[in-house]
């Protein structure tokens, strides 16, 4: 390990340090007892002190943004290989240009983008409209969701950090899928509707007309109704990762709501006759009893996004109506924390053998 002797901390680089997930990584890692951010990149802000762009980080870091060049064997790669782990807080298509060189140098890679999430090359190329440049490395990549892949993460060299919507969908369904696998009987019918709402920071810090204040404030709209890139990731998570005994047909509908942070996902389910004999509250309570970041609310309580703001917590309520044959899983998290940077730090903790909550024991901010 290329630890700093002085502090005995692992060295961390963040490619894409001016974006929302990048700046969130800096915030979280600044409180981490075993990790230190030593390199941050931004092509547009190279040479600028981080605190000049983000006054919230004055006194937290003295780092100056470095340039980033994605060509093979570039100076950027040489600098990144001095670190123990590199986070890519960048759009899809960036991490895969550097991942092989980093792994060859013994550096672990955590991509917050989509390059290492979908195991199917065909699905990646269909949804992201570009060829994958390191398909062999993709096969070794681990989907970075500790609640599902904790063992595999311990030896992972490349991690595909989950998308924000798939995190809510997969974790919102996991207890039911696991219980179906154990009982070998369907608890819910195969058709599942996932109705999800995201705050505007989910789209990143880029300037875009439809993300203008006047376009997003006092407005609520659906998007991606004919197909969203997170759908194949949710399908992969439910049908393959959780090894569901029932092939589920998923309808996924994302919406943009006038909040900065936060995601609320409502999963509509229809109970089978067997499902009506099951106690879903007990199934969810037991499933997440030992998970440090998942909170199952008591019967009758409902989650709200404010209750998880700026924390790595994902909060779930499950509702069951046997008379109508319906069940609903209601899930909230902060898209920038458990939906992105917090989950990535959680995976890093597992990869390096640190206590899983290190740097993530944050109480949500209210109001
Ligand atoms: N926002 C969320 O809630 C969220 C949740 C889960 C996952 N994600 C994923 O996380 C990734 C980052 O999201 P974000 O919201 O932080 O994005 P963002 O705010 O748009 O920031 C993107 C960052 O990447 C850098 N960048 C852009 N193109 C690059 C390139 N070709 N090479 C190197 N650096 C590049 C940008 O800086 P320069 O252009 O100055 O280099 C900037 O620092 C995306 O893949 C996103 O889908 C986001």
């Amino acid at each position: 390990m290329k630890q700093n002797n002085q502090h005995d901390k692992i060295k961390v680089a963040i490619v894409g340090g001016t974006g929302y997930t990048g700046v969130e990584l800096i915030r979280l890692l600044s409180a981490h007892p075993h990790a230190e951010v030593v390199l941050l990149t931004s092509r547009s802000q190279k040479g600028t002190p981080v605190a000049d762009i983000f006054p919230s980080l004055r006194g937290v870091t003295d780092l100056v943004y470095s340039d980033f060049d994605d060509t093979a064997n570039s100076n950027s790669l040489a600098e990144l290989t001095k670190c123990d782990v590199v986070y890519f807080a960048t759009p899809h298509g960036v991490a895969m240009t550097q991942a092989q060189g980093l792994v060859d140098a013994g550096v672990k890679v955590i991509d917050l983008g989509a390059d290492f999430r979908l195991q199917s090359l065909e699905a990646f190329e269909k949804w992201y409209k570009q060829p994958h440049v390191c398909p062999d490395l993709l096969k070794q990549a681990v989907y970075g969701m500790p609640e599902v892949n904790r063992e595999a993460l311990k030896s992972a060299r490349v991690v595909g950090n989950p998308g924000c919507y798939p995190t809510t969908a997969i974790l919102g369904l996991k207890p039911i899928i696991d219980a179906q696998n154990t009982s070998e009987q369907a608890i819910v019918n195969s058709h599942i509707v996932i109705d999800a709402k995201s705050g505007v920071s989910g789209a990143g810090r880029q300037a875009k007309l439809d993300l203008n204040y006047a376009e997003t404030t006092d407005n609520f709209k659906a998007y991606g109704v004919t197909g969203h890139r997170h759908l194949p990731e949710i399908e992969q998570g439910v049908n393959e990762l959780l090894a569901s005994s029932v092939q589920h047909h998923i309808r996924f509908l994302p919406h943009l709501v006038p909040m900065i942070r936060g995601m609320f996902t409502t999963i509509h389910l229809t109970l089978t006759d067997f499902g009506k004999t099951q106690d879903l509250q007990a199934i969810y309570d037991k499933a997440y009893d030992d998970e440090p970041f998942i909170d199952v609310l008591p019967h009758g309580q409902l989650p709200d996004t404010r209750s998880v703001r700026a924390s790595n917590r994902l909060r779930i309520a499950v509702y069951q109506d046997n008379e109508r044959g319906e069940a609903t899983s209601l899930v909230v998290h902060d898209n920038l924390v458990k939906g992105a940077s917090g989950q990535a730090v959680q995976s890093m903790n597992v990869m390096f053998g640190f206590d899983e909550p290190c740097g993530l024991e944050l109480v949500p901010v209210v109001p």
Side-chain angles (χ1 to χ4, degrees), residues 283-301:
I283 288 173
Y284 274 70
D285 283 341
K286 187 159 178 267
Y288 288 133
D289 203 23
D290 293 331
E291 285 300 339
F293 295 113
I294 304 197
D295 178 34
V296 178
L297 287 167
H299 179 71
Q301 289 190 20

Side-chain angles (χ1 to χ4, degrees), residues 115-262:
D115 296 1
F116 295 101
R117 293 180 192 159
L118 294 176
Q119 272 298 314
S120 157
L121 270 184
E122 202 187 350
F124 177 83
E125 290 174 10
K126 174 181 167 196
W127 288 92
Y128 291 93
K129 313 244 177 287
Q130 64 186 115
H132 204 289
V133 302
C134 49
D136 290 338
L137 203 53
L138 174 64
K139 285 188 202 137
Q140 300 171 27
V142 175
Y143 192 66
M145 189 176 278
E147 295 78 5
V148 175
N149 267 339
R150 195 165 272 123
E151 269 316 299
L153 278 170
K154 288 179 184 169
S155 55
R157 299 193 298 169
V158 179
V159 166
N161 199 56
C164 45
Y165 286 121
T167 299
T168 57
I170 295 167
L171 293 175
L173 284 165
K174 183 177 186 302
I176 289 179
I177 308 294
D178 287 349
Q180 290 187 154
N181 290 343
T182 307
S183 63
E184 293 181 6
Q185 288 199 67
I187 291 173
V188 295
N189 288 331
S190 58
H191 193 83
I192 294 175
V193 177
I194 299 175
D195 180 15
K197 288 104 188 162
S198 174
V200 181
S201 63
R205 196 165 166 260
Q206 57 195 315
K208 263 189 167 178
L209 182 62
D210 59 357
L211 298 176
N212 269 353
Y213 182 80
E215 300 291 325
T216 55
T217 310
D218 194 21
N219 194 16
F220 179 167
K221 65 178 181 186
Y223 67 104
V225 171
T226 55
H228 186 283
R229 286 167 169 169
H230 285 180
L231 174 61
E233 196 183 324
I234 296 170
E235 288 174 330
Q236 171 182 276
V238 171
N239 292 325
E240 294 172 32
L241 205 59
L242 301 178
S244 177
S245 48
V246 180
Q247 279 293 301
H248 290 283
H249 174 81
I250 291 165
R251 177 84 176 109
F252 169 57
L253 295 132
H255 301 76
L256 202 63
V257 292
M259 307 187 289
I260 296 172
R261 285 168 180 257

Side-chain angles (χ1 to χ4, degrees), residues 46-81:
K46 61 185 169 203
T48 309
V50 174
D52 284 8
I53 310 289
F54 297 105
S56 59
L57 296 173
R58 274 176 66 80
V60 173
T61 177
D62 296 332
L63 287 174
V64 170
Y65 286 111
S66 305
D67 198 5
F68 177 77
D69 169 2
D70 71 2
T71 51
N73 302 318
S74 65
N75 282 343
S76 304
L77 182 62
E79 286 304 308
L80 294 174
T81 57

Side-chain angles (χ1 to χ4, degrees), residues 273-324:
D273 286 340
F274 174 68
K276 292 176 194 167
T277 69
Q278 301 298 295
D279 179 351
L280 293 189
Q281 179 74 42
I283 288 173
Y284 274 70
D285 283 341
K286 187 159 178 267
Y288 288 133
D289 203 23
D290 293 331
E291 285 300 339
F293 295 113
I294 304 197
D295 178 34
V296 178
L297 287 167
H299 179 71
Q301 289 190 20
L302 295 174
D304 59 4
T305 55
R306 199 200 329 214
S307 73
V308 291
R309 186 186 294 153
S311 81
N312 196 48
R313 205 150 278 274
L314 179 142
R315 196 151 269 142
I316 307 184
V318 61
Y319 167 82
Q320 179 170 9
D321 184 336
N322 287 338
E323 232 169 77
R324 298 178 69 92

